[in-house]
Amino acid sequence: MIILANLLVALVALIHVYILVLEMFLWTRPRGRKAFGLTEEFARQTRVLGANQGLYNGFLAAGLIGGLIAGGDTGFAAKLFFLGCVAVAGVFGAATASRRILFVQTVPAVLAIVAVLVAN
């Protein structure tokens, strides 16, 4: 079960690395604009905001990766903390920006939380 739990944690981390790339580097490009439903003008005006959001998503990914590397009680605590942050961010994003965020962020994070708890 620990392997499944760690795979789910890694998946959530990878999702957030991808979001980092979209927000920090592709925000004004067609792929980034399409992912977030942005017009070219709005994306250009909010480029710095997108990069800031991307940085925070990178911190979430780094915390999850750190939890995977640390292992033991420290890794367990880090995984639960950062997965909880992802889940809360996903709920907030779904309520304020797009319902799709619930399925992209919150559902994978909650599944990973359950797996981490069961594996421990």
Side-chain angles (χ1 to χ4, degrees):
M1 189 63 180
I2 190 69
I3 293 172
L4 175 61
N6 284 339
L7 284 173
L8 289 173
V9 171
L11 174 66
V12 174
L14 287 174
I15 289 169
H16 283 79
V17 168
Y18 181 64
I19 295 170
L20 173 149
V21 170
L22 285 172
E23 292 175 339
M24 291 190 83
F25 305 110
L26 301 177
W27 186 261
T28 59
R29 298 195 180 166
R31 185 174 185 125
R33 290 195 323 263
K34 182 179 178 188
F36 300 108
L38 307 175
T39 64
E40 187 173 351
E41 174 72 16
F42 186 78
R44 194 172 65 253
Q45 292 173 347
T46 60
R47 187 181 94 249
V48 174
L49 173 67
N52 189 36
Q53 291 174 177
L55 184 62
Y56 285 98
N57 278 292
F59 291 146
L60 292 172
L64 292 169
I65 293 166
L68 289 168
I69 292 169
D73 291 341
T74 300
F76 174 75
K79 287 184 263 188
L80 287 182
F81 174 78
F82 284 99
L83 288 168
C85 290
V86 169
V88 170
V91 169
F92 184 79
T96 60
S98 169
R99 183 174 266 159
R100 188 177 96 196
I101 296 170
L102 190 69
F103 301 101
V104 172
Q105 284 185 273
T106 304
V107 170
V110 169
L111 291 173
I113 288 169
V114 170
V116 168
L117 289 171
V118 169
N120 198 45

